[in-house]
Amino acid sequence: MNDFAMIDLGKMRYFLGIEVLQSCTGIYIGQKKYIKYMLKKFDMSNCNPVKNPIVPGTRLLKDDKGTEVDSTLYKQLVGSLMYLTATRPNITYEVSLVSRFMEHQTESHFLATKRIFRYLQGTQNLGIF
């Protein structure tokens, strides 16, 4: 402080889009605001929440003969989910699964990605404590 002009802004509240709540019992980090932004951006704010991010037993195949979807939109969805895994390790497996199909994505891959967003709709408050 002797060499540079500084001011104390108090406890950190947000850092790179990650909410930080500090208390005497521990530190919570989450991305509730970012999830709300993503749901609004991809027009899923009013979607029905689901209990799990992927249907148990789902197998996504690379050579699926389904209808191709917009690759730009798919890449945006998956990229947004990848950033979210910093505070939501519970969706890491599902995000890595749908990210395998960035080259050739079909309707089944797109629906699996949208299901992750539906899961996030119901679990926005989860984070790491």
Side-chain angles (χ1 to χ4, degrees), residues 1 4 18 27 43 52 74 77 83 94 102 112 115-116:
M1 292 180 98
F4 300 101
I18 298 174
I27 300 172
D43 199 27
N52 49 11
Y74 186 80
L77 288 167
Y83 181 66
E94 292 80 8
M102 297 290 261
R115 183 171 178 95
I116 299 171

Side-chain angles (χ1 to χ4, degrees), residues 1-12:
M1 292 180 98
N2 294 333
D3 296 329
F4 300 101
M6 290 188 210
I7 56 172
D8 184 11
L9 299 175
K11 290 184 177 180
M12 179 173 43

Side-chain angles (χ1 to χ4, degrees), residues 11-29:
K11 290 184 177 180
M12 179 173 43
R13 182 85 170 119
Y14 283 96
F15 180 72
L16 298 175
I18 298 174
E19 181 181 13
V20 180
L21 298 174
Q22 300 177 44
S23 68
C24 58
T25 58
I27 300 172
Y28 166 83
I29 58 173

